[in-house]
PDB file of all heavy atoms in Angstrom:
ATOM      1  N   LEU I  14       7.572 -21.642   0.060  1.00 92.00           N
ATOM      2  CA  LEU I  14       7.248 -22.696   1.017  1.00 92.00           C
ATOM      3  C   LEU I  14       8.147 -22.566   2.246  1.00 92.00           C
ATOM      4  O   LEU I  14       7.681 -22.660   3.398  1.00 92.00           O
ATOM      5  CB  LEU I  14       7.424 -24.059   0.377  1.00 92.00           C
ATOM      6  CG  LEU I  14       7.043 -25.255   1.240  1.00 92.00           C
ATOM      7  CD1 LEU I  14       5.569 -25.197   1.691  1.00 92.00           C
ATOM      8  CD2 LEU I  14       7.318 -26.567   0.489  1.00 92.00           C
ATOM      9  N   ILE I  15       9.458 -22.367   2.025  1.00 91.00           N
ATOM     10  CA  ILE I  15      10.372 -22.179   3.129  1.00 91.00           C
ATOM     11  C   ILE I  15      10.039 -20.916   3.925  1.00 91.00           C
ATOM     12  O   ILE I  15      10.064 -20.904   5.147  1.00 91.00           O
ATOM     13  CB  ILE I  15      11.821 -22.128   2.607  1.00 91.00           C
ATOM     14  CG1 ILE I  15      12.234 -23.441   1.973  1.00 91.00           C
ATOM     15  CG2 ILE I  15      12.794 -21.714   3.722  1.00 91.00           C
ATOM     16  CD1 ILE I  15      13.575 -23.401   1.252  1.00 91.00           C
ATOM     17  N   SER I  16       9.692 -19.853   3.208  1.00 91.00           N
ATOM     18  CA  SER I  16       9.313 -18.599   3.825  1.00 91.00           C
ATOM     19  C   SER I  16       8.081 -18.780   4.752  1.00 91.00           C
ATOM     20  O   SER I  16       8.072 -18.245   5.856  1.00 91.00           O
ATOM     21  CB  SER I  16       9.003 -17.577   2.755  1.00 91.00           C
ATOM     22  OG  SER I  16       8.715 -16.303   3.331  1.00 91.00           O
ATOM     23  N   HIS I  17       7.131 -19.534   4.285  1.00 91.00           N
ATOM     24  CA  HIS I  17       5.917 -19.805   5.103  1.00 91.00           C
ATOM     25  C   HIS I  17       6.322 -20.543   6.372  1.00 91.00           C
ATOM     26  O   HIS I  17       5.844 -20.189   7.461  1.00 91.00           O
ATOM     27  CB  HIS I  17       4.928 -20.648   4.288  1.00 91.00           C
ATOM     28  CG  HIS I  17       3.728 -21.081   5.105  1.00 91.00           C
ATOM     29  ND1 HIS I  17       2.754 -20.188   5.484  1.00 91.00           N
ATOM     30  CD2 HIS I  17       3.372 -22.290   5.602  1.00 91.00           C
ATOM     31  CE1 HIS I  17       1.830 -20.842   6.165  1.00 91.00           C
ATOM     32  NE2 HIS I  17       2.177 -22.101   6.258  1.00 91.00           N
ATOM     33  N   GLN I  18       7.224 -21.513   6.274  1.00 92.00           N
ATOM     34  CA  GLN I  18       7.619 -22.300   7.450  1.00 92.00           C
ATOM     35  C   GLN I  18       8.397 -21.403   8.443  1.00 92.00           C
ATOM     36  O   GLN I  18       8.186 -21.489   9.659  1.00 92.00           O
ATOM     37  CB  GLN I  18       8.508 -23.484   7.034  1.00 92.00           C
ATOM     38  CG  GLN I  18       7.770 -24.500   6.204  1.00 92.00           C
ATOM     39  CD  GLN I  18       6.584 -25.110   6.947  1.00 92.00           C
ATOM     40  OE1 GLN I  18       6.647 -25.378   8.153  1.00 92.00           O
ATOM     41  NE2 GLN I  18       5.465 -25.328   6.264  1.00 92.00           N
ATOM     42  N   ILE I  19       9.280 -20.552   7.924  1.00 92.00           N
ATOM     43  CA  ILE I  19      10.035 -19.637   8.790  1.00 92.00           C
ATOM     44  C   ILE I  19       9.080 -18.636   9.458  1.00 92.00           C
ATOM     45  O   ILE I  19       9.253 -18.265  10.629  1.00 92.00           O
ATOM     46  CB  ILE I  19      11.130 -18.912   7.979  1.00 92.00           C
ATOM     47  CG1 ILE I  19      12.211 -19.915   7.540  1.00 92.00           C
ATOM     48  CG2 ILE I  19      11.766 -17.822   8.843  1.00 92.00           C
ATOM     49  CD1 ILE I  19      13.323 -19.314   6.742  1.00 92.00           C
ATOM     50  N   GLY I  20       8.058 -18.190   8.717  1.00 89.00           N
ATOM     51  CA  GLY I  20       7.030 -17.330   9.313  1.00 89.00           C
ATOM     52  C   GLY I  20       6.316 -18.005  10.491  1.00 89.00           C
ATOM     53  O   GLY I  20       6.051 -17.395  11.514  1.00 89.00           O
ATOM     54  N   GLN I  21       6.044 -19.299  10.330  1.00 89.00           N
ATOM     55  CA  GLN I  21       5.393 -20.046  11.412  1.00 89.00           C
ATOM     56  C   GLN I  21       6.328 -20.156  12.616  1.00 89.00           C
ATOM     57  O   GLN I  21       5.864 -20.037  13.775  1.00 89.00           O
ATOM     58  CB  GLN I  21       5.052 -21.467  10.921  1.00 89.00           C
ATOM     59  CG  GLN I  21       4.022 -21.513   9.797  1.00 89.00           C
ATOM     60  CD  GLN I  21       2.676 -20.930  10.245  1.00 89.00           C
ATOM     61  OE1 GLN I  21       2.166 -21.316  11.297  1.00 89.00           O
ATOM     62  NE2 GLN I  21       2.095 -20.087   9.431  1.00 89.00           N
ATOM     63  N   ILE I  22       7.615 -20.340  12.382  1.00 90.00           N
ATOM     64  CA  ILE I  22       8.582 -20.398  13.502  1.00 90.00           C
ATOM     65  C   ILE I  22       8.652 -19.070  14.225  1.00 90.00           C
ATOM     66  O   ILE I  22       8.695 -19.017  15.463  1.00 90.00           O
ATOM     67  CB  ILE I  22       9.980 -20.804  12.962  1.00 90.00           C
ATOM     68  CG1 ILE I  22       9.934 -22.235  12.422  1.00 90.00           C
ATOM     69  CG2 ILE I  22      11.031 -20.654  14.011  1.00 90.00           C
ATOM     70  CD1 ILE I  22      11.190 -22.669  11.666  1.00 90.00           C
ATOM     71  N   CYS I  23       8.670 -17.983  13.473  1.00 87.00           N
ATOM     72  CA  CYS I  23       8.679 -16.634  14.094  1.00 87.00           C
ATOM     73  C   CYS I  23       7.454 -16.461  14.988  1.00 87.00           C
ATOM     74  O   CYS I  23       7.509 -15.843  16.041  1.00 87.00           O
ATOM     75  CB  CYS I  23       8.708 -15.572  12.998  1.00 87.00           C
ATOM     76  SG  CYS I  23      10.321 -15.379  12.196  1.00 87.00           S
ATOM     77  N   GLY I  24       6.304 -16.971  14.516  1.00 81.00           N
ATOM     78  CA  GLY I  24       5.088 -16.858  15.309  1.00 81.00           C
ATOM     79  C   GLY I  24       5.168 -17.533  16.648  1.00 81.00           C
ATOM     80  O   GLY I  24       4.597 -17.050  17.635  1.00 81.00           O
ATOM     81  N   ARG I  25       5.946 -18.603  16.741  1.00 85.00           N
ATOM     82  CA  ARG I  25       6.133 -19.309  18.012  1.00 85.00           C
ATOM     83  C   ARG I  25       6.932 -18.495  19.012  1.00 85.00           C
ATOM     84  O   ARG I  25       6.841 -18.684  20.218  1.00 85.00           O
ATOM     85  CB  ARG I  25       6.839 -20.641  17.780  1.00 85.00           C
ATOM     86  CG  ARG I  25       5.997 -21.632  16.957  1.00 85.00           C
ATOM     87  CD  ARG I  25       6.837 -22.864  16.622  1.00 85.00           C
ATOM     88  NE  ARG I  25       6.117 -23.723  15.671  1.00 85.00           N
ATOM     89  CZ  ARG I  25       6.663 -24.742  15.008  1.00 85.00           C
ATOM     90  NH1 ARG I  25       7.959 -25.021  15.235  1.00 85.00           N
ATOM     91  NH2 ARG I  25       5.966 -25.463  14.170  1.00 85.00           N
ATOM     92  N   PHE I  26       7.739 -17.551  18.486  1.00 84.00           N
ATOM     93  CA  PHE I  26       8.527 -16.709  19.351  1.00 84.00           C
ATOM     94  C   PHE I  26       7.860 -15.323  19.584  1.00 84.00           C
ATOM     95  O   PHE I  26       8.484 -14.381  20.030  1.00 84.00           O
ATOM     96  CB  PHE I  26       9.930 -16.470  18.752  1.00 84.00           C
ATOM     97  CG  PHE I  26      10.783 -17.726  18.802  1.00 84.00           C
ATOM     98  CD1 PHE I  26      10.841 -18.563  17.702  1.00 84.00           C
ATOM     99  CD2 PHE I  26      11.506 -18.025  19.954  1.00 84.00           C
ATOM    100  CE1 PHE I  26      11.622 -19.716  17.735  1.00 84.00           C
ATOM    101  CE2 PHE I  26      12.291 -19.181  19.991  1.00 84.00           C
ATOM    102  CZ  PHE I  26      12.355 -20.010  18.895  1.00 84.00           C
ATOM    103  N   GLY I  27       6.596 -15.207  19.197  1.00 80.00           N
ATOM    104  CA  GLY I  27       5.862 -13.966  19.425  1.00 80.00           C
ATOM    105  C   GLY I  27       6.117 -12.901  18.405  1.00 80.00           C
ATOM    106  O   GLY I  27       5.717 -11.744  18.613  1.00 80.00           O
ATOM    107  N   LEU I  28       6.770 -13.260  17.287  1.00 82.00           N
ATOM    108  CA  LEU I  28       7.028 -12.285  16.197  1.00 82.00           C
ATOM    109  C   LEU I  28       5.999 -12.458  15.103  1.00 82.00           C
ATOM    110  O   LEU I  28       5.497 -13.574  14.870  1.00 82.00           O
ATOM    111  CB  LEU I  28       8.429 -12.507  15.616  1.00 82.00           C
ATOM    112  CG  LEU I  28       9.613 -12.246  16.581  1.00 82.00           C
ATOM    113  CD1 LEU I  28      10.942 -12.711  15.926  1.00 82.00           C
ATOM    114  CD2 LEU I  28       9.681 -10.767  16.973  1.00 82.00           C
ATOM    115  N   PRO I  29       5.674 -11.362  14.398  1.00 83.00           N
ATOM    116  CA  PRO I  29       4.763 -11.513  13.239  1.00 83.00           C
ATOM    117  C   PRO I  29       5.334 -12.426  12.154  1.00 83.00           C
ATOM    118  O   PRO I  29       6.553 -12.445  11.947  1.00 83.00           O
ATOM    119  CB  PRO I  29       4.615 -10.067  12.701  1.00 83.00           C
ATOM    120  CG  PRO I  29       5.080  -9.204  13.851  1.00 83.00           C
ATOM    121  CD  PRO I  29       6.087  -9.986  14.599  1.00 83.00           C
ATOM    122  N   ALA I  30       4.508 -13.167  11.497  1.00 85.00           N
ATOM    123  CA  ALA I  30       4.993 -14.084  10.445  1.00 85.00           C
ATOM    124  C   ALA I  30       5.690 -13.295   9.333  1.00 85.00           C
ATOM    125  O   ALA I  30       6.610 -13.823   8.705  1.00 85.00           O
ATOM    126  CB  ALA I  30       3.832 -14.871   9.862  1.00 85.00           C
ATOM    127  N   ILE I  31       5.261 -12.073   9.101  1.00 86.00           N
ATOM    128  CA  ILE I  31       5.888 -11.288   8.002  1.00 86.00           C
ATOM    129  C   ILE I  31       7.364 -11.024   8.295  1.00 86.00           C
ATOM    130  O   ILE I  31       8.142 -10.804   7.358  1.00 86.00           O
ATOM    131  CB  ILE I  31       5.166  -9.936   7.763  1.00 86.00           C
ATOM    132  CG1 ILE I  31       5.179  -9.060   9.001  1.00 86.00           C
ATOM    133  CG2 ILE I  31       3.734 -10.203   7.268  1.00 86.00           C
ATOM    134  CD1 ILE I  31       4.611  -7.678   8.753  1.00 86.00           C
ATOM    135  N   THR I  32       7.789 -11.080   9.546  1.00 88.00           N
ATOM    136  CA  THR I  32       9.222 -10.978   9.882  1.00 88.00           C
ATOM    137  C   THR I  32       9.955 -12.125   9.233  1.00 88.00           C
ATOM    138  O   THR I  32      11.026 -11.921   8.654  1.00 88.00           O
ATOM    139  CB  THR I  32       9.429 -10.987  11.403  1.00 88.00           C
ATOM    140  OG1 THR I  32       8.665  -9.965  12.035  1.00 88.00           O
ATOM    141  CG2 THR I  32      10.897 -10.811  11.751  1.00 88.00           C
ATOM    142  N   GLY I  33       9.415 -13.322   9.358  1.00 90.00           N
ATOM    143  CA  GLY I  33      10.030 -14.506   8.751  1.00 90.00           C
ATOM    144  C   GLY I  33      10.025 -14.414   7.219  1.00 90.00           C
ATOM    145  O   GLY I  33      11.006 -14.809   6.561  1.00 90.00           O
ATOM    146  N   TYR I  34       8.929 -13.882   6.658  1.00 91.00           N
ATOM    147  CA  TYR I  34       8.866 -13.743   5.198  1.00 91.00           C
ATOM    148  C   TYR I  34       9.951 -12.812   4.697  1.00 91.00           C
ATOM    149  O   TYR I  34      10.630 -13.063   3.690  1.00 91.00           O
ATOM    150  CB  TYR I  34       7.492 -13.215   4.783  1.00 91.00           C
ATOM    151  CG  TYR I  34       6.309 -13.983   5.248  1.00 91.00           C
ATOM    152  CD1 TYR I  34       5.034 -13.426   5.338  1.00 91.00           C
ATOM    153  CD2 TYR I  34       6.431 -15.322   5.636  1.00 91.00           C
ATOM    154  CE1 TYR I  34       3.917 -14.146   5.778  1.00 91.00           C
ATOM    155  CE2 TYR I  34       5.315 -16.038   6.068  1.00 91.00           C
ATOM    156  CZ  TYR I  34       4.080 -15.457   6.155  1.00 91.00           C
ATOM    157  OH  TYR I  34       3.005 -16.124   6.551  1.00 91.00           O
ATOM    158  N   ILE I  36      12.814 -11.972   6.238  1.00 92.00           N
ATOM    159  CA  ILE I  36      14.134 -12.546   6.429  1.00 92.00           C
ATOM    160  C   ILE I  36      14.433 -13.581   5.343  1.00 92.00           C
ATOM    161  O   ILE I  36      15.547 -13.627   4.759  1.00 92.00           O
ATOM    162  CB  ILE I  36      14.200 -13.236   7.830  1.00 92.00           C
ATOM    163  CG1 ILE I  36      14.162 -12.163   8.902  1.00 92.00           C
ATOM    164  CG2 ILE I  36      15.469 -14.066   7.973  1.00 92.00           C
ATOM    165  CD1 ILE I  36      14.049 -12.696  10.311  1.00 92.00           C
ATOM    166  N   GLU I 150      -3.047 -11.517  11.794  1.00 67.00           N
ATOM    167  CA  GLU I 150      -2.303 -12.604  12.409  1.00 67.00           C
ATOM    168  C   GLU I 150      -2.647 -12.710  13.892  1.00 67.00           C
ATOM    169  O   GLU I 150      -2.744 -13.790  14.424  1.00 67.00           O
ATOM    170  CB  GLU I 150      -0.821 -12.335  12.234  1.00 67.00           C
ATOM    171  CG  GLU I 150       0.035 -13.541  12.650  1.00 67.00           C
ATOM    172  CD  GLU I 150       1.488 -13.287  12.299  1.00 67.00           C
ATOM    173  OE1 GLU I 150       1.746 -12.546  11.348  1.00 67.00           O
ATOM    174  OE2 GLU I 150       2.360 -13.876  12.983  1.00 67.00           O
ATOM    175  N   VAL I 151      -2.775 -11.555  14.584  1.00 67.00           N
ATOM    176  CA  VAL I 151      -3.061 -11.584  16.031  1.00 67.00           C
ATOM    177  C   VAL I 151      -4.541 -11.466  16.278  1.00 67.00           C
ATOM    178  O   VAL I 151      -4.980 -11.340  17.442  1.00 67.00           O
ATOM    179  CB  VAL I 151      -2.289 -10.456  16.725  1.00 67.00           C
ATOM    180  CG1 VAL I 151      -0.809 -10.596  16.511  1.00 67.00           C
ATOM    181  CG2 VAL I 151      -2.740  -9.088  16.243  1.00 67.00           C
TER     182      VAL I 151
END
Side-chain angles (χ1 to χ4, degrees):
L14 182 60
I15 295 171
S16 183
H17 175 72
Q18 294 301 320
I19 293 178
Q21 296 297 312
I22 293 172
C23 287
R25 294 173 189 169
F26 290 95
L28 296 171
I31 60 174
T32 304
Y34 305 158
I36 292 172
E150 189 174 335
V151 301

